[in-house]
Amino acid sequence: SRVSALDGLRGFALVGMLAWHAQLSWVKGGFARMTVFFVLSGFLAARSLLRTTESSSGRGFLRYYGRRARRLLPITFVGVAAALLVTAGWGSPSARASSFGDTLSVLTSWSNWRFILEDRPYGALFDAPSAFQHYWSLSVEEQFYLVWPLVLLACLVWQRRRHGFGRLPRVPVLAALWGLTALSFGYAVWLTSTNPIAAYFSTPARIW
């Protein structure tokens, strides 16, 4: 079942992000809106995974990955095709030169790391916009979709004497997750002052 309040909160975050990208002077907090969107996306993905795997962990994980692929891949292909057309027609010479690498990074879900390695800050979209730059957030989410089910599967194997996820040993699991969250948050805070580009794009700085 859908949770209308969470849909609405994510919608407000997206509208606020669009307004921030439009450079409206009174709109603040672009980083906070991205955080809200990531948290809700992660929560809803984990909730979907737990429901899917209640009956059969093996087939459940395959169904989960299949549903993610059917949901994300078609619109990703359409978006990449549109980005290539826009770049070919109106992009700068540097944007056209990097379009092949950008396309490959989007399709392999590592565009956020490509922007870090090439020292391309997020703020560059206001000066030298790239039609591929917004895919960094999808790459972070897809990396999450790949790793998070494996974390839950490890918990399931650890608790293999019981059935389903309802009886996972909460104290050790929650302690491990809170510890990971604290490490990631501390890393993000430290990285913000030393390498802001990596702080915004990198997966470890977004885990929390």
Side-chain angles (χ1 to χ4, degrees):
S1 59
R2 301 186 69 88
V3 181
S4 299
L6 297 184
D7 281 342
L9 184 58
R10 187 159 58 169
F12 275 121
L14 286 173
V15 170
M17 185 63 72
L18 291 173
W20 184 72
H21 282 122
Q23 300 185 44
L24 301 179
S25 60
W26 52 271
V27 177
K28 307 295 182 182
F31 288 88
R33 291 183 181 89
M34 196 70 245
T35 299
V36 169
F37 188 77
F38 273 142
V39 169
L40 288 177
S41 297
F43 169 74
L44 295 172
R47 189 167 177 258
S48 173
L49 175 64
L50 292 175
R51 286 201 310 267
T52 303
T53 56
E54 281 176 354
S55 57
S56 173
S57 61
R59 290 192 298 272
F61 278 100
L62 292 177
R63 286 200 301 270
Y64 174 82
Y65 282 120
R67 287 172 58 185
R68 297 276 79 76
R70 289 194 299 272
R71 177 186 174 190
L72 294 174
L73 290 182
I75 192 64
T76 298
F77 292 147
V78 172
V80 167
L84 284 170
L85 289 175
V86 168
T87 302
W90 295 276
S92 65
S94 61
R96 289 195 294 270
S98 64
S99 61
F100 176 79
D102 288 344
T103 299
L104 187 62
S105 69
V106 169
L107 297 180
T108 54
S109 301
W110 71 282
S111 58
N112 58 319
W113 290 102
R114 174 176 170 81
F115 295 144
I116 293 172
L117 294 174
E118 294 193 352
D119 199 30
R120 290 159 65 178
Y122 188 73
L125 67 89
F126 297 115
D127 302 319
S130 167
F132 299 89
Q133 187 155 347
H134 293 296
Y135 277 101
W136 77 270
S137 60
L138 183 61
S139 293
V140 171
E141 288 196 48
E142 288 176 342
Q143 291 158 23
F144 171 83
Y145 292 151
L146 179 64
V147 174
W148 184 239
L150 301 179
V151 173
L152 294 181
L153 180 60
C155 293
L156 179 62
V157 172
W158 184 36
Q159 191 69 7
R160 60 185 179 275
R161 290 177 298 177
R162 299 177 180 178
H163 300 285
F165 286 93
R167 296 182 179 180
L168 279 173
R170 293 187 176 183
V171 173
V173 171
L174 289 177
L177 292 179
W178 277 113
L180 180 63
T181 299
L183 287 173
S184 173
F185 183 76
Y187 176 69
V189 172
W190 172 79
L191 201 61
T192 298
S193 62
T194 59
N195 189 344
I197 297 175
Y200 196 81
F201 286 134
S202 73
T203 310
R206 290 290 183 176
I207 287 176
W208 67 274

